[in-house]
């Protein structure tokens, strides 16, 4: 079940993840939607990586913040499991004021590196001092993933 929590009550690790997602949002390139998204992912090796959405004129080649964060973590640390991902989204000049959960495309991408762990945390910033927290198991039930192909990603 989704829980609401004060950012200051999160673990230091999760506060850091939220801060990095907020920072990444500042770098987004969404000239078409004007919807700025930032994400930060925590790898099971302790590595953290940031991502933001990057829109392109053909729309199809748009990169989502969650995917950029995970791909960047892999680029730095190799294929690795993830423990948590923080996401924040809002129009350019607005403070985040509502939960922005990963889209269907990104839920599949997140699941790919969860290594079968349905308890991987997903945090979304809902105000300047609050987040909502869920898990990939809640957001992406009956997932299709590498396990369906008999493949294990990462270590
Ligand atoms: Zn997405």
């Amino acid at each position: 079940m989704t829980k609401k929590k004060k950012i200051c009550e999160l673990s230091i690790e999760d506060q850091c993840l939220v801060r990095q997602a907020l920072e990444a949002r500042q770098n987004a390139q969404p000239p078409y939607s004007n919807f700025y998204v930032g994400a930060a992912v925590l790898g099971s090796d302790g590595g953290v990586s940031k991502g933001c959405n990057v829109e392109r004129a053909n729309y199809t080649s748009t990169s989502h913040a969650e995917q950029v964060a995970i791909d960047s973590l892999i680029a730095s640390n190799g294929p690795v499991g993830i423990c948590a991902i923080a996401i924040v989204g809002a129009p350019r000049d607005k403070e985040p004021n509502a939960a922005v959960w990963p889209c269907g495309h990104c839920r599949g991408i997140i699941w790919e590196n969860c290594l079968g762990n349905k308890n991987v945390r997903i945090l979304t910033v809902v105000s300047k001092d609050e987040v909502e927290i869920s898990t990939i198991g809640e957001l992406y039930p009956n997932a299709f993933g590498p396990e369906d192909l008999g493949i294990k990603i990462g270590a």
Side-chain angles (χ1 to χ4, degrees):
M1 190 174 359
T2 300
K3 311 180 277 216
K4 198 174 254 191
K5 213 164 177 185
K6 296 259 185 223
I7 292 172
C8 63
E9 292 170 355
L10 297 173
S11 67
I12 296 297
E13 204 168 53
D14 282 357
Q15 286 186 45
C16 173
L17 216 51
V18 166
R19 192 167 47 250
Q20 297 211 43
L22 287 162
E23 283 174 14
R25 178 174 171 262
Q26 302 300 317
N27 296 331
Q29 177 187 294
Y32 309 104
S33 72
N34 198 35
F35 196 77
Y36 284 62
V37 185
V41 65
L42 172 65
S44 51
D45 61 352
V48 174
S49 227
K50 297 190 283 192
C52 61
N53 57 329
V54 181
E55 294 179 351
R56 299 190 170 89
N58 70 9
Y59 284 51
T60 309
S61 302
T62 290
S63 299
H64 298 196
E66 301 93 315
Q67 180 172 14
V68 172
I70 290 170
D71 289 358
S72 175
L73 182 68
I74 294 167
S76 298
N77 298 4
V80 64
I82 62 173
C83 301
I85 186 164
I87 302 153
V88 56
R92 185 218 286 270
D93 296 324
K94 296 226 163 106
E95 290 299 316
N97 65 3
V100 173
W101 298 108
C103 73
H105 169 81
C106 288
R107 291 176 195 207
I109 287 168
I110 293 166
W111 176 245
E112 188 90 15
N113 284 78
C114 288
L115 310 186
N117 180 3
K118 292 177 188 261
N119 296 317
V120 167
R121 301 184 312 283
I122 301 183
L123 299 87
T124 179
V125 176
V126 295
S127 73
K128 69 176 173 34
D129 50 20
E130 279 185 319
V131 292
E132 285 186 23
I133 306 171
S134 187
T135 63
I136 190 65
E138 282 183 350
L139 296 182
Y140 196 53
N142 307 316
F144 177 82
E147 61 282 354
D148 294 303
L149 304 175
I151 304 290
K152 191 170 173 134
I153 304 290

